[in-house]
Amino acid sequence: NLSEKLNTVFKKLRGHGTLSEANIEEALKEVRMALLEADVNFKVARDFIDSVKVKAMGSEVMQSLTPGQQMIKIVRDELASLMGGVVSPLDTAARPPIAIMLVGLQGSGKTTTAGKLARLLKSKGKKPFLVPADVYRPAAILQLKRLGEQLGINVYDSNAGDDPLNICREAFRAADRGGYDYIILDTAGRLHIDDELMQELSAIKIAISPSEILFVADAMIGQDAVNVAKAFDERLNLSGVILTKLDGDARGGVALSVKAVTGKPIKFIGVGEKLDAFEPFHPDRMASRILG
Amino acid sequence: VLGRKRIDEDLYDELEEILVTSDLGVQTSYRLIEKVRERLRRGESDDAGLVKAYLKEEILTILKSTGNAIDTGRGKPFVIMVVGVNGVGKTTTIGKLASKYNAEGKSVLLCAGDTFRAAAIEQLEVWGERAGCGIIKHKEGSDPSAVLFDAIKAAKSRGTDILIADTAGRLHTKTNLMEELKKTRRVVEREVSGAPHEILLVLDATTGQNAVSQARLFKEAVEITGIVLTKLDGTAKGGVVVSIVDELKIPVKFIGIGEGVEDLRHFEPSEFVEALF
Ligand SMILES: Nc1nc2c(ncn2[C@@H]2O[C@H](COP(=O)(O)OP(=O)(O)OP(=O)(O)O)[C@@H](O)[C@H]2O)c(=O)[nH]1
Ligand SMILES: Nc1nc2c(ncn2[C@@H]2O[C@H](COP(=O)(O)OP(=O)(O)OP(=O)(O)O)[C@@H](O)[C@H]2O)c(=O)[nH]1
Ligand SMILES: [Mg+2]
Ligand SMILES: [Mg+2]
C-alpha cells in the first residue's frame, strides 16, 4: 500500500542526509500512482500533485523522522479539504413542493437513490412525492412504484406513452395540490453525448426550476468521469453529486475528479441496495479510501 | 541528438496519458510502454512512428490471445448464465442475446433469476416479448436456484436450444451473494451435463480499475468463460479489459453499443485497439 511504498522510498534516501527536492518528487510519484490506481482522472491527479508539492517541500516532511507518514498526512488533508468545504445540505427553505431532480448515466443508481432520498425525507417528517420520469427503460415506472409501496410513499402514476416533460409538469401540479413538501424526479439514464436526451433534461429544468439537480454517479467509474460530469454540469448547473455503490471496494477516485472539474459538492453516498443504505458524504473518510 | 531524445520522452508521456485515460491502468500502461521501448532498443531504432505501431501490436497480441467464439451447438439446452455487479447491463444484454439467437433460428428460453430487485422480473419479461421468446419466473423474493431449476426442467421438456439465466446484480465483495451464485451454478451443473456452457461476466465500459477486482472475484467464485463489455457507445474506452485478458485469460466475447435490442456486436480486437488511439 501507499504507506509502505513511501516508507521504502524514504528509507533508501535516508542514508544520504537531508532530503532534497528530487527525493520529494520521487515520493510524490508514488502518490500519483496511488491516485491513478484509485481512478482519479489523469489531469486532476497531475494538478493535485503539483499543488501538494509545495506543502510537501515544507519542513514538516523534510525534517521529520517519519517523512513518509508526514507526506501521507499532508496529502490526505489536502484531498479531504478539496473534496469537502462547506457542504450545503438539501434545500429546506424554498417554497414547497421543493423539486429534486436526479440525473446521470445508465445504471448509476438513480431510481434506487430516489427511493433512498424519499425515505430520508419522510424520516425527517417531510412529505415527499416520487415521480417516475423514465419512459424508455422497460418497467422503470413500475420499479419506482414498487419502491414507493415498500416505503409507504406516494408515486405519481406516470404513463410510459407520455413525454417526460409533461410527466414532470403534471406531477408538479399534483404535488402542489397534494400539499407535498418535496417532489423527487427520477429521470432516465442517458449518455452525456446524446444531445436530444440532454436537451430533454434542460427542458425539464426550465419548466420545473428544481432546487436541487443531483448528478448520481457510480463510485467505480474510471477516467471518463470528468467528461461525463463536465457535460452534465455545463448543461444543467448541478447543485450536487451523489456517489453510489460505495459498499464495494472501488477506491472512488471519481469523488476527487468530479469535485475538481465541477466544483459541486458531494452530498450523499449510497452504501447498499437496501433503501436505508444512504449516508452523508465524509471527505476525510473518502480521502483515506482513495489513497488505499 | 539530445534534442531528438527529448521528443521521444514527450511521445512516451503522451502515450502514457492516452493509455491511462483509456482506463488501461497505470501498471499495465507502464508495462506496455516498457515493452515498446525494449523492442526499439533491440531494433536500435528511434523512429517515433514505430512507437505507436508497436504499442497497438502489443495490445492486439494480448486481446487476440484468447478465442472469443460461442458454439451453442455444444449442448442442449445450451445454458448461459449472465453475472456481474449492479447496473452494468446484464438484463438488457440478455434481451439482445435472446433476439440474436432467435434470429438465427434457435429456440430460446429466459430464466428470471433476479428475484430480489424491484421490477427485475417485469423488466426481463419485456425483453422476452421483444426477443420473441418464453420466460420462466417465480414471484419476487423466491429462491433464484429454484427458478433456474424450473427453467432447466422447462427447457428440457420443450427441447429448447438455448437457456439464458439472468441473475441479480451483486458486488463481488459480498461473500454471501457470491455464495448464492455458486449455489445457483451447482444447480445447473447437476441438472445439465457440461453446463453451464457459458458464464458471461458483464462489465460496464465506464468502470475503472475496479473491473479487474470484479473479474478476479467472479472468476474465483464461478469461473467466467467470457466478458460482455457494455456501454461502449459512450465516451469511455473500456481499456481495463486489456489487463483482464492479460492477467486472467478471460476473453471478451461481445460488446454492448446501445440500449436497443440490436445493439450487440461480437468483440473485434483490432476495432477496439483503433478506438483507443
Ligand atoms: N450495492 C449497491 N447497489 C446499488 C446502490 N445503489 C443502487 N444500486 C443497485 O444498482 C443497480 C442499478 O440501480 P438503478 O436504481 O436501477 O439505477 P438507475 O440509475 O436508475 O438505472 P437507469 O434508470 O437504467 O439509468 C440496481 O441493482 C440497484 O439495486 C448502492 O449504493 N450499492
Ligand atoms: N448506452 C447503453 N446503455 C446500456 C447498455 N447496456 C445496458 N444499458 C443500460 O444500462 C441500464 C442498466 O441495464 P440493466 O440491464 O438493467 O442492468 P443490470 O446489470 O441488469 O442491472 P441490475 O440487474 O440492477 O444489476 C439500463 O438503462 C440499460 O438500458 C449499452 O450497451 N449502452
Ligand atoms: Mg432508473
Ligand atoms: Mg438486471
Side-chain angles (χ1 to χ4, degrees), chain A:
Chain A
N1 67 17
L2 182 60
S3 188
E4 292 161 358
K5 292 203 184 116
L6 289 185
N7 286 338
T8 312
V9 168
F10 284 116
K11 213 184 235 128
K12 70 173 161 70
L13 304 168
R14 191 82 273 183
H16 303 248
T18 47
L19 295 173
S20 70
E21 174 167 353
N23 299 156
I24 299 294
E25 293 207 338
E26 175 148 358
L28 283 176
K29 272 211 188 82
E30 290 296 339
V31 176
R32 180 175 165 267
M33 287 261 276
L35 294 178
L36 292 177
E37 285 168 349
D39 294 320
V40 173
N41 177 263
F42 190 88
K43 291 202 177 76
V44 170
R46 193 174 46 202
D47 294 345
F48 175 81
I49 295 296
D50 288 343
S51 75
V52 89
K53 182 173 166 198
V54 173
K55 292 206 170 82
M57 295 285 298
S59 57
E60 283 167 286
V61 180
M62 301 294 252
Q63 297 172 12
S64 167
L65 290 174
T66 54
Q69 278 183 34
Q70 275 309 107
M71 177 165 283
I72 290 202
K73 178 175 179 313
I74 288 178
V75 169
R76 190 174 44 224
D77 289 349
E78 185 69 8
L79 273 178
S81 107
L82 275 178
M83 291 189 291
V86 181
V87 180
S88 44
L90 285 186
D91 188 351
T92 50
R95 176 187 173 279
I98 298 174
I100 300 174
M101 187 178 172
L102 299 181
V103 302
L105 293 176
Q106 290 90 345
S108 63
K110 298 173 294 298
T111 304
T112 308
T113 301
K116 292 177 178 182
L117 265 173
R119 182 187 177 284
L120 177 67
L121 290 168
K122 180 175 177 184
S123 74
K124 293 189 185 289
K126 304 292 181 185
K127 190 174 170 206
F129 191 50
L130 283 167
V131 181
D134 180 353
V135 301
Y136 311 103
R137 169 172 157 155
I141 295 170
L142 184 64
Q143 184 185 1
L144 193 58
K145 282 186 174 168
R146 288 271 166 80
L147 297 184
E149 283 166 18
Q150 285 176 33
L151 297 170
I153 289 174
N154 289 337
V155 181
Y156 180 73
D157 187 13
S158 305
N159 172 355
D162 202 354
D163 171 293
L165 178 58
N166 278 345
I167 288 173
C168 292
R169 276 201 289 244
E170 289 301 316
F172 189 87
R173 279 176 210 137
D176 204 10
R177 286 195 305 270
Y180 290 91
D181 302 310
Y182 285 88
I183 174 171
I184 301 170
L185 309 175
D186 176 28
T187 68
R190 70 204 62 216
L191 296 178
H192 51 304
I193 52 171
D194 185 328
D195 203 59
E196 198 177 330
L197 285 184
M198 291 303 282
Q199 187 44 39
E200 174 186 284
L201 290 182
S202 302
I204 294 173
K205 172 179 178 173
I206 291 170
I208 307 293
S209 327
S211 308
E212 297 279 351
I213 302 183
L214 301 173
F215 177 60
V216 178
D218 196 321
M220 60 185 185
I221 192 173
Q223 295 288 314
D224 202 37
V226 292
N227 301 328
V228 183
K230 216 187 224 172
F232 274 88
D233 191 39
E234 283 173 357
R235 281 281 188 150
L236 303 169
N237 189 13
L238 306 169
S239 64
V241 177
I242 297 179
L243 287 187
T244 63
K245 308 179 202 171
L246 274 165
D247 44 318
D249 62 352
R251 297 261 291 271
V254 53
L256 179 63
S257 304
V258 170
K259 186 80 206 304
V261 99
T262 65
K264 302 300 164 70
I266 298 171
K267 300 205 174 190
F268 296 101
I269 60 174
V271 291
E273 296 188 66
K274 303 229 172 77
L275 297 172
D276 57 358
F278 201 50
E279 296 173 2
F281 175 69
H282 289 289
D284 48 350
R285 285 185 214 164
M286 195 73 219
S288 299
R289 180 179 181 132
I290 288 175
L291 291 176

